[in-house]
Amino acid sequence: MDLYHFGAQELATKAEDKRVHLRELLDISPFLNEAASAIVDDSFTRCFKSNPPEPWNWNIYLFPLWCLGVLVRYLILFPIRVVLLAVGWIVFLALFIPIHSILRGHDQLRQMLERGLVEFICSVFVASWTGVVKYHGPRPSRRPKQVFVANHTSMIDFIILEQMTAFAVIMQKHPGWVGLLQTTILESLGCIWFNRTEAKDREIVAKKIKQHIEDPEKNPLLIFPEGTCVNNQYTVMFKKGAFELGCTVCPIAIKYNKIFVDAFWNSKKQSFTMHLAQLMTSWAVVCDVWYMEPQTLQPNETPIEFAERVRDMIAKRAGIKKVAWDGYLKYYRPSPKLTEKRQQKFAEWVLPRLRKEDS
């Protein structure tokens, strides 16, 4: 009988211990939630990290060659490219300004000449990087009720596509000399600008898009539905706006070869001027561009499903991985200091309990 009571008491004690562990587990549930969030955040941040190539100048034989390459790139190639870019801009402005000012009453002729000049200056930019671009598929043409969508790695995506076809693009409004180009030269292409911080901009942009695609005389409309630059190894969620217009969607896949330079532009860490300088001091910018089969919304298919189907096509063609995160989260992530503080708080809470369990 005593043995029975002893066994019952031991079982009750174990049950009590289990309840304590369960209570403690529930107590740390906020930390578990934050830990899961950290895992998600880690998979998300990989989309926006530039992964430098492994150094190859690691021994006494290769290091002199690397030094020679640095001298060639910075002291020979870079000055030549700067001169080329400067001459290209002089020729471009010498022709663009008179055409833009004098041919005000001849819109069709003016727009045709301006399109040609924009393609010219974009070709000069690509030449200043020693761009090696291989285009696959038929060249885009102007047609009503169609929109082109592409994955987005850098603002140079637009330049590389523009040298082949004069697109009108939907793009974030930028400050500085890039913003000046947007409001002057690129405005002539019918480009549409937006500001992420202005909620009213969404309605205005949506109206402009619908007006643009209805006009057969307008330049083909190019949209980067990710809404932000991704490092060309992943593709984040496509915004559905381009896929609920009731028009044909033409996918474009862009894949950069990192053998000479990483073309990813992290706008939070680097200005576009510094990004261009990085490209102009590299050996070359190498990439492939695929113009893929036009797609339309299928019966019983929602715009979100349509967007995912097109994203699947682009990801498969470019050989990049899909992730299910919204790219706009890039602009609203907490600071590293806050993350480190929460990690420290969790460590201070959990370590004494782990030591207690071990003892």
Side-chain angles (χ1 to χ4, degrees), residues 10 21 36 39 54 99 105 123 147 155-156 167 174 177 181 195 205 220 225 240 261 292 308-309 326:
E10 185 178 3
H21 292 316
I39 294 171
E54 294 184 6
I99 290 173
S123 298
V147 63
M155 203 186 300
I156 70 169
F167 285 104
H174 290 275
W177 65 271
L181 293 181
N195 191 338
V205 168
K240 66 176 182 177
V261 68
M292 304 171 71
E308 281 300 298
R309 179 162 60 86
D326 189 337

Side-chain angles (χ1 to χ4, degrees), residues 104-353:
R104 285 286 184 180
H106 304 80
D107 290 343
Q108 191 171 0
L109 177 61
R110 177 175 59 84
Q111 290 174 3
M112 183 187 69
L113 294 174
E114 287 176 348
R115 280 197 297 265
L117 286 173
V118 171
E119 291 177 8
F120 163 75
I121 194 61
C122 288
S123 298
V124 171
F125 267 109
V126 175
S128 72
W129 315 321
T130 314
V132 182
V133 186
K134 189 174 182 180
Y135 298 91
H136 309 264
R139 180 174 176 171
S141 58
R142 283 189 294 165
R143 295 176 183 174
K145 287 199 172 286
Q146 71 171 359
V147 63
F148 291 81
V149 298
N151 57 305
H152 196 24
T153 304
S154 167
M155 203 186 300
I156 70 169
D157 300 337
F158 167 72
I159 298 174
I160 286 173
L161 295 175
E162 197 75 11
Q163 75 159 349
M164 178 64 70
T165 303
F167 285 104
V169 69
I170 299 176
M171 189 183 296
Q172 162 73 21
K173 189 76 172 73
H174 290 275
W177 65 271
V178 177
L180 180 62
L181 293 181
Q182 287 178 320
T183 55
T184 53
I185 296 170
L186 297 182
E187 194 75 33
S188 63
L189 298 175
C191 297
I192 301 172
W193 316 118
F194 66 90
N195 191 338
R196 290 189 181 91
T197 59
E198 295 292 336
K200 294 181 180 179
D201 272 12
R202 296 181 183 179
E203 298 179 3
I204 297 173
V205 168
K207 291 180 181 178
K208 288 183 178 180
I209 291 174
K210 291 180 180 179
Q211 293 173 358
H212 188 104
I213 63 175
E214 294 289 342
D215 191 345
E217 297 300 321
K218 295 286 188 180
N219 293 321
L221 187 62
L222 174 65
I223 298 176
F224 298 107
E226 289 171 301
T228 187
C229 295
V230 189
N231 64 7
N232 209 228
Q233 293 178 301
Y234 299 88
T235 172
V236 297
M237 186 175 65
F238 279 10
K239 303 293 182 295
K240 66 176 182 177
F243 303 90
E244 55 186 4
L245 297 172
C247 64
T248 302
V249 175
C250 305
I252 301 175
I254 306 173
K255 180 63 175 180
Y256 292 93
N257 191 326
K258 295 184 179 182
I259 187 171
F260 294 122
V261 68
D262 186 359
F264 171 55
W265 176 39
N266 190 339
S267 58
K268 299 186 77 173
K269 294 184 178 181
Q270 188 181 46
S271 68
F272 189 65
T273 303
M274 293 303 298
H275 182 56
L276 287 181
Q278 178 185 353
L279 300 179
M280 293 176 68
T281 53
S282 67
W283 288 110
V285 173
V286 182
C287 79
D288 286 270
V289 176
W290 290 272
Y291 298 109
M292 304 171 71
E293 288 292 327
Q295 303 295 314
T296 55
L297 187 69
Q298 300 296 319
N300 301 321
E301 186 178 41
T302 65
I304 295 176
E305 293 170 341
F306 186 20
E308 281 300 298
R309 179 162 60 86
V310 172
R311 188 162 76 110
D312 284 337
M313 293 176 60
I314 293 175
K316 184 177 180 180
R317 177 68 273 184
I320 54 182
K321 300 176 183 178
K322 288 178 55 182
V323 293
W325 314 125
D326 189 337
Y328 278 2
L329 293 174
K330 172 184 176 182
Y331 300 94
Y332 303 103
R333 291 175 55 235
S335 67
K337 290 183 179 179
L338 177 61
T339 304
E340 291 172 4
K341 188 180 293 185
R342 299 300 297 169
Q343 290 172 344
Q344 180 67 26
K345 184 176 179 181
F346 174 70
E348 291 173 354
W349 188 92
V350 75
L351 285 176
R353 286 164 173 76

Side-chain angles (χ1 to χ4, degrees), residues 83-109:
V83 171
L84 173 64
L85 191 59
V87 172
W89 271 109
I90 291 171
V91 173
F92 172 79
L93 293 175
L95 295 174
F96 185 88
I97 293 174
I99 290 173
H100 189 72
S101 304
I102 296 172
L103 297 179
R104 285 286 184 180
H106 304 80
D107 290 343
Q108 191 171 0
L109 177 61

Side-chain angles (χ1 to χ4, degrees), residues 17 20-21 23-24 349-359:
D17 288 340
V20 170
H21 292 316
R23 185 173 64 250
E24 290 183 352
W349 188 92
V350 75
L351 285 176
R353 286 164 173 76
L354 293 175
R355 294 192 186 101
K356 183 180 177 181
E357 288 293 331
D358 291 339
S359 62

Side-chain angles (χ1 to χ4, degrees), residues 41-57:
D41 183 64
D42 182 65
S43 66
F44 177 77
T45 54
R46 284 201 299 266
C47 303
F48 307 102
K49 285 184 178 179
S50 179
N51 299 315
E54 294 184 6
W56 57 269
N57 56 339

